Amino acid sequence: MSFSGKKFRRVKCENIKELLASTHANDDIVRVIKTKAPFVTYTLLDGNTLLMDLEIDGKKMSHTFRLGEEHVMKKNDGGTVKMTYTVEGNSVIKQVIKMPDGKTAYFRREFNDNEIKMIVTMDGTDLTGTIYYELVQ
């Protein structure tokens, strides 16, 4: 995987505020997307396990996911969301997040050597947001 083990930092967003406003997204998603430029690293541990390291405002979080399997993740407020990660080829990670309110968010991360282009769509709107990350290390 071309992206495995590389650290990226968010550099710009397009249409994200409009997307979040149109869907009344839950506070956790809004916070993660709007927070100061997070750093993210995805590492493929074996053929079916993905490690995501996320650093936001100096706080580090790590999550390990089995590809293709739905995982329950606790939110800061004690609630849960269900997430599924899949990998396409050597350069795309897809993520589906099912919220307790029944809405679903879709994230498609397209990697190249020096950047990630993340395309975000959500149930309830035709809008698409895009978030760009650049390689840090």
Side-chain angles (χ1 to χ4, degrees):
M1 302 287 138
S2 64
F3 58 82
S4 187
K6 294 180 180 179
K7 186 175 185 178
F8 295 87
R9 179 175 186 248
R10 187 179 72 209
V11 292
K12 70 177 181 175
C13 300
E14 296 173 351
N15 211 29
I16 292 298
K17 289 180 184 177
E18 295 84 356
L19 176 66
L20 295 173
S22 73
T23 60
H24 308 292
N26 76 39
D27 292 338
D28 281 344
I29 287 185
V30 171
R31 181 185 54 78
V32 168
I33 291 176
K34 285 186 170 182
T35 193
K36 295 177 185 174
F39 293 91
V40 65
T41 304
Y42 296 93
T43 305
L44 197 60
L45 299 177
D46 61 35
N48 291 316
T49 307
L50 183 67
L51 169 66
M52 178 189 70
D53 291 312
L54 184 65
E55 185 179 337
I56 300 174
D57 291 333
K59 296 177 186 174
K60 294 182 181 182
M61 298 174 279
S62 293
H63 300 284
T64 303
F65 302 95
R66 300 272 306 155
L67 296 173
E69 294 180 10
E70 188 171 76
H71 298 83
V72 176
M73 188 171 176
K74 280 198 171 199
K75 300 185 315 177
N76 290 338
D77 66 4
T80 60
V81 294
K82 294 178 181 179
M83 285 193 250
T84 305
Y85 281 89
T86 55
V87 173
E88 285 185 0
N90 287 324
S91 61
V92 174
I93 295 176
K94 289 185 172 182
Q95 177 187 18
V96 176
I97 301 176
K98 296 178 182 175
M99 271 60 92
D101 64 3
K103 290 183 181 176
T104 303
Y106 304 90
F107 297 80
R108 178 184 173 88
R109 294 166 179 89
E110 299 173 352
F111 293 81
N112 70 36
D113 291 337
N114 299 314
E115 68 181 6
I116 304 171
K117 178 181 176 183
M118 183 168 69
I119 302 160
V120 182
T121 57
M122 298 180 82
D123 285 348
T125 183
D126 291 333
L127 295 173
T128 298
T130 306
I131 301 173
Y132 297 89
Y133 293 79
E134 67 183 6
L135 182 66
V136 175
Q137 74 180 104

